[in-house]
Amino acid sequence: MSDAALGRSAGHALGPLGLAEPDGRVYAALVANPQSTAEELAGSCGLTLQQGVRALDRLAQQGMATRAPVDRERYLAVAPDVAIGTLIGHRESELRSARAEMHRLMDAFREASRYTDPAHSVEVLTGGEAIAQRLEHITGTSQYQVRGFDRPPYIQDPVAAMPLQRRRMREGLRFRTVYDREAVAWPGRLEKNILVGVADGEEARVRPTLPMKMIISDDRMAIIPISVGDSVLDAAYVIHPSALLQALDTLFEAEWERAVQLQAAIGTGEASAEPDADHRKLLGLLAAGLTDESIARSLGWSARTTQRRLQALMRSLGATTRFQAGMAARERGWL
């Protein structure tokens, strides 16, 4: 651990720059008096020579001071915008690490407590910042997948989380999102956010309506914003491992199964065309519940022709199951 960190952990007072005393005073003096020696700085700051030298050594380690190129006994301050900007970056990194560790320990605490106290299965977050931090924690710590229901209204700009999501997708994390029709229609959302995510690997589907907004991390946590009518309050439920979380898992998979692939829902590719006569016949027989064998006999097709045309129809609808094909066809008015 660095001397500065030791100073903080020992409870040393911090100056306005967040530096343990007397480092902040020495840096300020060096900014005002470049090319100063350690002795001159110590004198101007009311320190002993040994205290001044140690402060300069710590400042040099943090990239805030450097020795003069000609006279190595003299020191120069690194420009404040560079030096303090670097210092702020270090502090922010430390805070992010501390926050992530806090969330990890809280997860462990709730997991250990939920068997004796069911109240730990549900947590209420209040305040936009707290909710944003937890969402960032979910995206940053999920192990294999993040699933979500996305629908308006939005407390924060939906595009804000994209950089972290894109980085996690590059690392192999799977993202599956079901978008409400209104989310796709939200001004600028499709081009600036949704299609960008899909291009990076997000799996996106669309439903006419969704029961709620939700995000699920692996099988360990879900966040549900608290809504009243068409507005979202500055609060959210956090659901930890429990029967309720299992129910939300089941709900997501059921909606995912019913949803239509994004490309089909927005009318790109083959999905934009009207079905031909054979496809309309095929859709009608599928809707009636006929099997492939019965459809082949009804239309006078071979089994291979039936399978080929059925697969072409499902591709045009962006569907992977017969149920999805039926839902997509109804949404387009094909049935």
Side-chain angles (χ1 to χ4, degrees), residues 31-249:
V31 168
N33 300 280
Q35 300 278 357
S36 294
T37 64
E39 185 175 6
E40 291 168 345
L41 289 168
S44 65
C45 293
L47 305 173
T48 66
L49 177 58
Q50 186 178 35
Q51 289 173 322
V53 169
R54 288 179 177 174
L56 284 167
D57 286 343
R58 289 191 293 269
L59 290 171
Q61 289 174 7
Q62 295 180 75
M64 301 185 71
T66 183
R67 290 182 182 273
V70 178
D71 186 348
R72 305 295 290 174
E73 296 298 318
R74 298 185 177 277
Y75 289 83
L76 294 169
V78 173
D81 61 341
V82 175
I84 299 174
T86 301
L87 183 66
I88 291 171
H90 290 326
R91 294 288 185 274
E92 290 176 341
S93 177
E94 291 174 356
L95 288 172
R96 283 194 299 271
S97 297
R99 187 178 296 116
E101 180 65 8
M102 176 192 71
H103 289 313
R104 188 190 69 79
L105 290 173
M106 283 303 299
D107 290 344
F109 172 76
R110 293 188 184 91
E111 178 66 20
S113 302
R114 69 188 179 95
Y115 297 104
T116 56
D117 186 357
H120 287 289
S121 295
V122 180
E123 172 189 3
V124 178
L125 288 178
T126 56
E129 183 177 358
I131 296 171
Q133 289 174 359
R134 189 63 63 89
L135 290 172
E136 181 180 347
H137 170 67
I138 274 186
T139 305
T141 60
S142 294
Q143 298 297 309
Y144 59 92
Q145 75 169 333
V146 173
R147 295 170 289 172
F149 289 159
D150 189 305
R151 53 174 288 184
Y154 301 107
I155 296 176
Q156 297 175 318
D157 181 359
V159 182
M162 281 300 295
L164 178 57
Q165 177 177 325
R166 298 179 75 179
R167 177 172 65 79
R168 292 308 319 276
M169 283 194 288
R170 288 194 295 270
E171 295 170 353
L173 186 64
R174 186 184 186 190
F175 280 80
R176 289 195 288 153
T177 307
V178 181
Y179 291 95
D180 185 285
R181 182 170 49 200
E182 296 301 320
V184 177
W186 193 264
R189 183 82 196 281
L190 180 63
E191 295 292 336
K192 296 179 181 179
N193 178 226
I194 299 176
L195 291 179
V196 173
V198 170
D200 284 339
E202 178 184 356
E203 299 172 49
R205 295 186 180 182
V206 179
R207 289 279 286 146
T209 59
L210 287 171
M212 67 185 78
K213 295 164 68 78
M214 177 176 68
I215 184 169
I216 306 177
S217 170
D218 300 328
D219 55 359
R220 65 189 179 89
M221 185 188 302
I223 296 181
I224 303 174
I226 299 174
S227 302
V228 176
D230 292 332
S231 63
V232 177
L233 301 182
D234 214 10
Y237 296 116
V238 182
I239 315 299
H240 297 282
S242 59
L244 178 55
L245 183 60
Q246 292 172 2
L248 293 174
D249 179 285

Side-chain angles (χ1 to χ4, degrees), residues 278-279 282-283 285-287 290-293 295 299 301-323 325-326:
D278 284 342
H279 278 173
L282 185 54
L283 279 169
L285 295 174
L286 283 174
L290 272 67
T291 65
D292 289 3
E293 183 179 353
I295 291 172
L299 297 176
W301 296 344
S302 67
R304 179 175 295 181
T305 297
T306 302
Q307 283 293 320
R308 186 179 68 251
R309 293 188 177 182
L310 179 59
Q311 290 170 4
L313 174 63
M314 293 175 68
R315 281 197 303 272
S316 72
L317 290 167
T320 56
T321 67
R322 290 185 176 209
F323 185 86

